[in-house]
Amino acid sequence: MGSNDILMDLGWNAHWQSLWEASQAVDRVVCRVVAVQRSGLLLTPPLPNGQNEISIGGKFFLRLEKDRPTIGDWIVVEADSGALCEILPRLSVIKRLSPAGGGEVQLIAANVDTAFVVTSCNADFSVARLERYISMVLDAGIQPVLVLTKADLAVDIETYRHAMDANFNAWPWFFVDARAATDVAALALWCGQGQTIALLGSSGVGKSTLVNTLSGATVQLTQAVREQDAKGRHTTTHRSLHFLPQGGVILDSPGMREFQLADTVSGVGAVFADIEDLARSCRFRDCRHGAEPGCAIREALQAGRLDPERLQRYLKLIAEAAASSEVVSQRQGRGRAVKKDRPHIPR
Ligand SMILES: Nc1nc2c(ncn2[C@@H]2O[C@H](COP(=O)(O)OP(=O)(O)OP(=O)(O)O)[C@@H](O)[C@H]2O)c(=O)[nH]1
Ligand SMILES: [Mg+2]
Ligand SMILES: [Zn+2]
């Protein structure tokens, strides 16, 4: 396997080393997927023959999206032919429901340690959207860090501080001017060697600006947002991995428009752990928090210990994740059936 030092710079660590040793064969190398293109995968480090692009091909192409290689994956490749042999088991994967429908999941990134969930101190800010992002991130077992950009432009920063204090104190959060190295220095804690960070957020919130400031260089294009409504212009058009001077690897992504949760019920539960704790002390296991006696949720509402809007947001998100789980499991069940019984499937 090439130089270990190079792999370390790509996020390699003892976990990957042991998996690799278990599967090692003399004619194979391990690489990280740094971009997924229509024609194939971009890899780093390149294969011994200098090739840094391979096609997905064969058995991987026929798989459900969740089992196909995605950005951030560690893959084992035949050194000479460039054939993809295996995807090393993922430590984490961020996914959403595919907008194409049909219960397909869409992978956003694999093997991410920390997600910087980015929003701005302007019209982009939405407690509900932050909760949605954090649900997706926690479901993947990833540490969320909330980054509130454009603090330098905020007319009334206290409004944002209040909303953050009321809802998000379980996670680290920061006000920053994303262009200012001194502000962004607070994020370096999550950017050390062996760490992979993903940036998530709407267009125009400053994801690429953060990559540039953390890099101390202009590695990504950025563009001013629309004056009238603070909406971005979808400047970043594809996902890409960047290597930070702090030693970590950071993934820049195009701004996400509204997205639907995949099968992430437990992520929603983790965001609203306080509400799920309360629900466990309702007298009836199947309490619907309506008129039932001994309802801990209703008591908390009446005592002013639970914000009714927060409860509504929880109920909406948990219903969405449950509905997604249903269609996703149907789709994945069908995927297996198709493989096993292919000749008999009626058209
Ligand atoms: N004043 C100020 N401007 C910022 C801040 N963060 C980003 N900007 C500006 O906002 C604009 C959009 O920033 P980008 O980094 O391109 O946003 P993005 O999230 O990458 O957007 P997409 O690539 O479209 O998803 C640029 O003009 C940045 O200079 C900030 O904290 N303060
Ligand atoms: Mg961008
Ligand atoms: Zn109840």
Side-chain angles (χ1 to χ4, degrees):
M1 159 174 44
S3 160
N4 242 328
D5 293 345
I6 296 176
L7 293 181
M8 296 293 249
D9 289 341
L10 305 176
W12 187 256
N13 58 33
H15 168 82
W16 302 113
Q17 184 67 29
S18 63
L19 282 173
W20 167 240
E21 277 165 7
S23 81
Q24 196 157 8
V26 278
D27 55 346
R28 294 179 173 189
V29 290
V30 68
C31 312
R32 195 152 197 200
V33 176
V34 294
V36 180
Q37 301 178 333
R38 199 167 300 204
S39 54
L41 307 173
L42 279 189
L43 311 176
T44 192
L47 304 181
N49 65 12
Q51 186 185 344
N52 72 344
E53 196 177 345
I54 62 165
S55 62
I56 302 177
K59 60 178 183 176
F60 287 92
F61 203 71
L62 293 173
R63 294 180 178 184
L64 289 170
E65 160 131 0
K66 73 177 179 64
D67 300 317
R68 273 182 244 153
T70 191
I71 194 162
D73 267 325
W74 289 102
I75 57 172
V76 177
V77 180
E78 258 173 35
D80 291 340
S81 67
L84 175 57
C85 306
E86 72 174 296
I87 304 172
L88 293 185
R90 292 167 179 148
L91 274 182
S92 65
V93 61
I94 309 179
K95 59 187 180 179
R96 64 173 179 176
L97 198 62
S98 167
E104 183 71 286
V105 297
Q106 198 171 68
L107 305 187
I108 296 169
N111 304 319
V112 170
D113 300 286
T114 305
F116 290 165
V117 177
V118 188
T119 182
S120 299
C121 300
N122 60 23
D124 184 72
F125 183 88
S126 152
V127 169
R129 183 146 23 77
L130 283 175
E131 288 165 344
R132 177 176 292 269
Y133 274 113
I134 305 169
S135 297
M136 174 168 79
V137 167
L138 288 181
D139 196 86
I142 294 169
Q143 166 75 50
V145 174
L146 315 182
V147 185
L148 281 89
T149 59
K150 311 198 185 184
D152 55 302
L153 301 175
V155 193
D156 184 8
I157 196 100
E158 289 311 313
T159 327
Y160 301 102
R161 192 186 306 282
H162 180 77
M164 295 306 289
D165 270 331
N167 296 285
F168 301 115
N169 274 343
W171 304 283
W173 58 264
F174 300 94
F175 285 128
V176 299
D177 173 347
R179 303 162 308 167
T182 45
D183 286 12
V184 171
L187 304 177
L189 187 61
W190 292 277
C191 299
Q193 196 178 46
Q195 295 298 304
T196 301
I197 308 102
L199 287 158
L200 302 172
S202 320
S203 176
V205 295
K207 298 179 298 299
S208 301
T209 304
L210 285 168
V211 172
N212 289 342
T213 307
L214 281 164
S215 302
T218 305
V219 295
Q220 282 292 76
L221 198 67
T222 65
Q223 199 180 188
V225 302
R226 290 199 318 221
E227 288 279 330
Q228 70 273 28
D229 57 5
K231 284 223 159 65
R233 297 172 195 268
H234 294 279
T235 308
T236 305
T237 52
H238 60 273
R239 295 173 292 163
S240 57
L241 279 183
H242 302 271
F243 305 99
L244 295 174
Q246 297 84 350
V249 180
I250 196 163
L251 169 77
D252 194 8
S253 303
M256 258 194 248
R257 294 194 178 84
E258 298 303 303
F259 69 95
Q260 297 288 304
L261 290 177
D263 46 340
T264 51
V265 170
S266 71
V268 177
V271 171
F272 296 95
D274 54 330
I275 297 182
E276 298 218 329
D277 278 349
L278 274 175
R280 270 188 284 277
S281 40
C282 290
R283 185 176 306 161
F284 299 109
R285 266 254 153 268
D286 59 348
C287 184
R288 312 197 52 154
H289 322 307
E292 295 95 332
C295 173
I297 298 269
R298 211 177 53 246
E299 277 165 24
L301 283 173
Q302 280 161 1
R305 283 182 284 114
L306 175 60
D307 171 5
E309 287 179 14
R310 184 170 154 77
L311 176 64
Q312 287 312 315
R313 294 195 304 271
Y314 163 70
L315 293 172
K316 177 168 183 269
L317 221 48
I318 199 86
E320 178 182 320
S324 287
S325 299
E326 186 89 356
V327 290
V328 167
S329 71
Q330 272 169 17
R331 159 88 183 140
Q332 292 178 359
R334 203 162 58 234
R336 275 196 300 279
V338 167
K339 240 178 249 156
K340 206 169 56 196
D341 309 330
R342 180 164 294 151
H344 311 296
I345 295 288
R347 297 261 151 193

